[in-house]
Amino acid sequence: MSDRRVAAYAAEGVVWSRLAALLPAAEDVDEVQGCWDIAEQEAGLDLLVGRLVELGLPVGESARTEIAVMAEQWGEWDRLGAAIVACPGEDAQPVSLRVFEDGDEEAPVPLDVLGERADPEQVLVPWIACVACGRVLARVHRRQEWGDLSYTAESYVVFAQDGSIEPLLFPGEDDGSGWSALEALRRACLCG
């Protein structure tokens, strides 16, 4: 494994530990952390999101976006996305970034932001957005011959709904591209 991959995995592990700590019971935290330790991230995400929903625990938008990216990174967004979005928010925190379930009618309408790079089989799926300034992180999927979208995103794109920034494209095959796109969205956001 390259040094870059090791560093990215270690950074993701720090986020994982912070997310596990959202759970109030030490045994739940230990179980979620244990899943990371034995490379069972999919099971850990299922446990984390399941417990958050079961307990009705409020989740801040920063944590929610990180859980969403973690789920996407480990191939669990399709299965857990609706539950991640359904977790109650923290009333005391103003919402800056919002995670949208696939097909959410309130999601920002994707623009033709790929321009010349666009392929007619590609579909932009708005995923995370700043509701105040209109910056959007979308997943780029390929339309399959049977009509469904590809299971994993081909890439990620950060853009402004008003076209005020040059779209930033992050190839999906790059390690940590979802995390890089989230960081670019945070940097592009005019609200924070």
Side-chain angles (χ1 to χ4, degrees), residues 2 6 31 43 50 55 63 89 91-92 94 100 109 117 134 151 157 164 176-177 184:
S2 72
V6 169
E31 193 171 353
L55 297 171
D91 293 336
F100 292 94
V109 177
R117 301 175 284 201
Y151 180 67
V157 63
S164 61
S177 57

Side-chain angles (χ1 to χ4, degrees), residues 63-81:
R64 185 186 318 273
T65 60
E66 290 172 343
I67 295 169
V69 173
M70 190 78 69
E72 171 75 6
Q73 174 94 0
W74 292 101
E76 295 295 304
W77 173 254
D78 276 358
R79 222 172 46 75
L80 298 175

Side-chain angles (χ1 to χ4, degrees), residues 10 22-24 36-37 51 53 57 63 70 73 78 82 91 97 111 116 120 127 130 139 146 152 154 161-162 171 192:
L22 293 172
L23 299 172
W36 179 269
D37 295 343
R51 291 297 285 155
V53 170
L57 295 172
M70 190 78 69
Q73 174 94 0
D78 276 358
D91 293 336
L97 295 181
L111 306 171
E116 297 171 1
W127 184 30
C130 176
R139 299 185 333 268
W146 54 88
T152 59
E154 288 188 345
Q161 283 188 283
D162 64 5

Side-chain angles (χ1 to χ4, degrees), residues 136-179:
V136 179
L137 166 52
R139 299 185 333 268
V140 182
H141 287 271
R142 182 162 299 282
R143 175 82 56 205
Q144 302 298 317
E145 57 191 50
W146 54 88
D148 290 343
L149 297 179
S150 57
Y151 180 67
T152 59
E154 288 188 345
S155 57
Y156 304 91
V157 63
V158 174
F159 63 94
Q161 283 188 283
D162 64 5
S164 61
I165 64 169
E166 184 69 27
L168 305 168
L169 193 63
F170 300 85
E173 68 271 4
D174 290 353
D175 289 333
S177 57
W179 293 110

Side-chain angles (χ1 to χ4, degrees), residues 1 14 19 43 60 69 78 80 96 98 108 115 119 122 126 132 146-147 174 180 190:
M1 192 181 297
V14 170
L19 295 175
V69 173
D78 276 358
L80 298 175
S96 55
R98 179 174 170 198
D119 176 321
Q122 289 180 320
W146 54 88
D174 290 353
S180 297
L190 300 174

